[in-house]
Structures are given as C-alpha cells and as structure tokens.
Amino acid sequence: MALYATVLLMLPIGASAQTQSPEAMIRENVTGFMERIDGREDYYASNIDELKAIVDESLNDVADFRYIGASVMGSYFQNATPEQRSRFADVFRRTLIDTYTRGLVTFDYDALRVLDNQRGQRYEDQASVDMEVVATNGQVYPVSYSLRLSNGEWRVVNVIVNGINLGLTFRNQFDQAMRQNNRDYDAVIRTWSPEVGVEELERGGDA
C-alpha cells in the first residue's frame, strides 16, 4: 500500500487551485506537497500525527469522499440508510488517511512527474490526469487520476496505479465483506480496512 499512499498524496493542497484545469491543478500541487515533506521522512516517521494532519489537510478539499464511498458500496448503497452511508464515507476516509500516512514514509522514490502529453477530455465534467512515479530502483509506475466536476470544482474520485483500478478493487472488497458478514452493514463498516498489497501493485493490472 506504500506506493498507493505515495501517489494518492500527490494531490492538490489548496482550494485556490480549483479554478485551474485538472492537469494544471495536479502539476502545480505535486511540487507544493512534496516541498512540505521531502527530506523529512525520518522526522515524520517519528512524528506520525503531524504527517497525518498534513495528509488530512491535503485531502480535505480535493477528494470527493461521499462520491467515492457511494461508488465503493456499489449496489449496496441503495439499501443503506443515510446514517450508514455517511458513516461509511467517514470510516473510509479515516482508514485511507491512516494507511497513506504509514505508507508515505516507507516508499522510496526518485521522481514524480506529470506527463506532458495528456489525454483529451471526453466529457466536460470528467477528466483524467496521468503521471508517473519513479522508484529508487528505476521501476516506473504509471498513475492516472480520475476527476469529476462537482459544483464548479474538480474533485478526485478514483486512482489507477500501474493498471490496478483502486476504486474497483475496494468495491470488490466491500462486496466480499458484505457476503462474509451476511450483509450486515454495521459489521462491515465497523471492521472496514481497505487493503491493496505492494506486490500486487508492483505486478500491475490491465485497467
């Protein structure tokens, strides 16, 4: 999950960037976020709460957790109560922030780069931004952000890492958890712990 943590945290850290194009927003803020943590990995490894606060701030205005939560719940969303939907979105966010924070100080990378040649937008309210993470061993991991325009602001709603669609992966995990818990929403929400193995990310997929 460390690689996933690294790429998810390359997200915009300022609401002022919301008027920019998706590509410009991501490109500008990759640099801004990394300036806050680059070279301080050892410090943050011993001060996890401080790093977690930066992570929380970074995601607050850019990730649409309500939308993501509904997508992860998939077909189960319709029968969930409003309270369960809200609670799952909060739990999903909290568990990801915890995971990102732990992973950010462990994944070794040399470079992060937003690609110059981006795919054109097929729809006015949907966009993708492609970038690459270069590990210290030279391995290059392609990353694609999926964004949607909501209330005049671009929001990240999914990430594909090395061909693995993380939103779909989490949706499958939610479905499996519901089946294992006899469709007990409260039990699944209470024990929710998203998981994508580092080896799985390194192998990649074909999303």
Side-chain angles (χ1 to χ4, degrees):
M1 183 62 94
L3 173 63
Y4 182 29
T6 300
V7 299
L8 258 289
L9 287 167
M10 305 304 103
L11 294 175
I13 58 176
S16 62
Q18 296 294 348
T19 57
Q20 297 176 308
S21 70
E23 178 185 349
M25 184 178 69
I26 296 294
R27 186 182 298 277
E28 177 179 311
N29 286 280
V30 162
T31 301
F33 184 84
M34 293 313 299
E35 286 178 349
R36 300 182 67 177
I37 65 173
D38 197 25
R40 306 191 70 194
E41 290 84 359
D42 290 341
Y43 172 80
Y44 285 123
S46 301
N47 295 272
I48 294 296
D49 287 343
E50 290 187 36
L51 181 58
K52 189 180 296 185
I54 295 176
V55 172
D56 193 16
E57 176 187 347
S58 301
L59 295 177
N60 185 52
D61 292 325
V62 295
D64 190 340
F65 280 103
R66 298 291 171 182
Y67 183 94
I68 296 171
S71 178
V72 170
M73 294 181 81
S75 60
Y76 298 103
F77 180 82
Q78 183 175 358
N79 292 327
T81 67
E83 190 273 339
Q84 287 170 331
R85 296 172 182 176
S86 178
R87 186 152 45 92
F88 178 70
D90 292 341
V91 168
F92 186 83
R93 170 178 176 158
R94 186 171 63 253
T95 55
L96 286 186
I97 288 174
D98 289 344
T99 302
Y100 299 165
T101 301
R102 292 193 305 269
L104 190 61
V105 296
T106 62
F107 183 72
D108 295 325
Y109 59 90
D110 275 339
L112 307 164
R113 54 198 182 208
V114 178
L115 302 185
D116 292 329
N117 297 321
Q118 296 287 332
R119 293 170 287 173
Q121 290 181 220
R122 294 183 60 187
Y123 306 100
E124 291 185 358
D125 61 345
Q126 299 178 33
S128 297
V129 176
D130 298 325
M131 64 174 292
E132 295 176 336
V133 177
V134 183
T136 54
N137 64 3
Q139 178 70 40
V140 176
Y141 298 95
V143 178
S144 179
Y145 295 118
S146 298
L147 303 94
R148 66 187 287 265
L149 191 62
S150 177
N151 297 321
E153 297 182 341
W154 286 104
R155 299 274 181 162
V156 175
V157 295
N158 193 20
V159 181
I160 298 175
V161 181
N162 202 23
I164 295 179
N165 185 319
L166 295 168
L168 179 59
T169 297
F170 292 146
R171 185 187 306 170
N172 290 338
Q173 291 181 2
F174 188 90
D175 176 64
Q176 182 179 11
M178 287 292 285
R179 294 174 185 273
Q180 292 175 340
N181 288 274
N182 297 317
R183 291 173 170 74
D184 185 334
Y185 283 85
D186 293 331
V188 172
I189 294 171
R190 185 172 58 251
T191 59
W192 175 253
S193 181
E195 181 177 345
V196 179
V198 173
E199 292 183 358
E200 180 183 353
L201 289 176
E202 291 177 345
R203 287 195 306 270
D206 56 3

